[in-house]
Amino acid sequence: MDAAWLALGGVALSAFLSATLLPGNSELALSAFLYRWPDWLWPALLLATLANSAGSATSLWLGSRVPPKILSPRLQRWFDRFGPAVLSLAWVPFIGDALPLAAGWLRLPKLSCLLWLTVGKAARYAVLAWGVLFWRPH
């Protein structure tokens, strides 16, 4: 099997794990992959985005399994103000993993949540890929 395909599988696994409470570093995996195989930009971006979004969807589902409870007033205001759009920040370190859990817990509309978190993750990976390819020696 071609090394690029194996590496792409590693990117997908890292992206999925990075979106859960488990450790992972999808940015490093995607950057290394694109540095080595820049011609695979679009498949790598698509796969990393889908896998990372699937990890967050898992957290969203897990949050919906928890009995509803009152959130802290600050977090509740944030979700009330921005609704599912807050999930566009699900990629942010430290708080990002908790956002889909909280959205599931609050029973926010799943389809809107999935759309917003995917948009945010795709934008983050696109900026990262641009940086890798822009600074990569030609």
Side-chain angles (χ1 to χ4, degrees), residues 5 8-9 11-13 15 42-53 125:
W5 284 104
L8 195 56
V11 169
L13 181 61
W42 294 111
L45 279 179
L46 180 64
L47 190 58
T49 299
L50 291 176
N52 201 247
S53 297
Y125 283 135

Side-chain angles (χ1 to χ4, degrees), residues 32-120:
F33 180 86
L34 290 175
Y35 189 84
R36 172 66 178 87
W37 292 285
D39 293 341
W40 287 59
L41 170 67
W42 294 111
L45 279 179
L46 180 64
L47 190 58
T49 299
L50 291 176
N52 201 247
S53 297
S56 287
T58 302
S59 295
L60 182 68
W61 177 80
L62 288 172
S64 71
R65 301 292 117 209
V66 176
K69 185 177 179 184
I70 305 293
L71 290 178
S72 72
R74 182 177 179 201
L75 192 55
Q76 184 67 51
R77 280 193 310 272
W78 210 37
F79 276 102
D80 287 345
R81 182 172 180 193
F82 298 107
V86 77
L87 290 173
S88 64
L89 299 174
W91 62 270
V92 175
F94 305 113
I95 66 163
D97 293 340
L99 292 176
L101 282 169
W105 196 19
L106 292 171
R107 311 303 194 261
L108 294 181
K110 285 181 180 59
L111 189 57
S112 296
C113 290
L114 291 172
L115 174 69
W116 280 106
L117 68 88
T118 302
V119 166

Side-chain angles (χ1 to χ4, degrees), residues 12-39:
L13 181 61
S14 178
F16 181 86
L17 292 176
S18 293
T20 66
L21 296 177
L22 299 173
N25 195 332
S26 63
E27 294 86 359
L28 181 60
L30 181 62
S31 296
F33 180 86
L34 290 175
Y35 189 84
R36 172 66 178 87
W37 292 285
D39 293 341

